[in-house]
């Protein structure tokens, strides 16, 4: 797929655990971004297949919400509002918000997460404030592993949506 793989770097498995986790998360973040390269606002709004309403734009918005929640709300304990007031975890599409704005939001949330976690121990903790796991204390290690899993799962979805849009497959 043009525009993406050259920006992704795989962990070689020989670095220390913090660097390995950060490397895998960076790889999956770059994979998500690569799935949007070369598409226009109309294309990123196309759903994968009925009855699903899943779109690449919705995935980018959702993962911006995921970044905000885990790094700011949970890890740093900040009281931040949802990025998108859609009640759907970022998946709902606003006709006024296109890919450029969603990617800018996502990049900003990724950067804020890096700022909050850089130099911190994998054993440092935060607390989940709401939802079915409210009150659970989780380590930065747990958050990074969870985000790698979340991105990997959604990148699989992004593969299917992108193939549906223009036939592009692969990395």
């Amino acid at each position: 797929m043009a525009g993406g793989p050259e920006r992704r770097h795989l962990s070689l498995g020989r670095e220390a655990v913090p660097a390995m986790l950060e490397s895998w998360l960076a790889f999956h973040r770059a994979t998500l971004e690569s799935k949007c390269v070369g598409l226009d606002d109309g294309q990123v709004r196309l759903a994968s297949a009925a009855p699903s309403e899943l779109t690449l734009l919705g995935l980018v918005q959702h993962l911006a919400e995921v970044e905000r929640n885990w790094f700011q709300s949970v890890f740093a304990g900040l009281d931040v509002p949802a990025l998108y007031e859609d009640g759907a975890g970022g998946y709902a599409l606003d006709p006024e918000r296109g890919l450029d704005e969603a990617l800018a939001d996502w990049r900003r949330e990724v950067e804020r997460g890096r700022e909050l976690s850089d130099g911190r121990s994998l054993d440092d903790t935060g607390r989940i404030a709401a939802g079915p796991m409210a009150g659970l204390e989780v380590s930065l290690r747990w958050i990074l592993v969870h985000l790698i899993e979340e991105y990997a799962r959604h990148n699989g979805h992004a593969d299917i949506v992108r193939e549906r849009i223009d036939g592009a497959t692969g990395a």
Side-chain angles (χ1 to χ4, degrees):
M1 191 163 159
E6 65 276 0
R7 295 192 50 219
R8 298 181 316 154
H9 303 283
L10 284 172
S11 167
L12 299 177
R14 293 188 293 265
E15 63 268 58
V17 172
M20 184 184 306
L21 292 173
E22 290 165 9
S23 174
W24 274 111
L25 183 53
F27 173 84
H28 283 294
R29 286 170 171 158
T31 299
L32 175 70
E33 192 168 11
S34 77
K35 296 299 174 184
C36 300
V37 170
L39 299 178
D40 62 35
D41 282 343
Q43 290 173 306
V44 296
R45 292 173 180 279
L46 293 174
S48 58
S52 175
E53 296 179 3
L54 187 66
T55 66
L56 284 174
L57 182 56
L59 283 170
V60 170
Q61 293 174 167
H62 171 68
L63 286 161
E65 290 282 17
V66 165
E67 293 273 352
R68 175 175 276 223
N69 177 62
W70 287 106
F71 286 112
Q72 293 184 53
S73 296
V74 174
F75 187 61
L78 302 174
D79 184 17
V80 293
L83 191 57
Y84 305 109
E85 298 296 329
D86 62 17
Y91 287 112
L93 304 183
D94 178 338
E96 301 299 315
R97 185 175 41 252
L99 180 61
D100 289 343
E101 183 180 345
L103 282 171
D105 291 343
W106 173 76
R107 288 180 188 119
R108 190 173 43 256
E109 296 305 320
V110 166
E111 185 54 36
R112 183 69 176 126
R114 285 184 180 129
E115 291 168 3
L116 292 168
S117 62
D118 278 354
R120 301 289 299 271
S121 167
L122 290 178
D123 295 323
D124 288 349
T125 61
R127 188 170 305 280
I128 299 172
M133 297 191 307
L136 182 67
E137 187 175 78
V138 293
S139 67
L140 178 57
R141 175 184 293 104
W142 189 97
I143 291 169
L144 292 173
V145 169
H146 174 67
L147 284 175
I148 292 165
E149 170 272 326
E150 179 107 3
Y151 270 94
R153 182 166 31 96
H154 287 314
N155 282 339
H157 299 140
D159 284 337
I160 294 166
V161 176
R162 179 64 192 250
E163 185 176 6
R164 164 76 168 81
I165 292 168
D166 65 0
T169 60

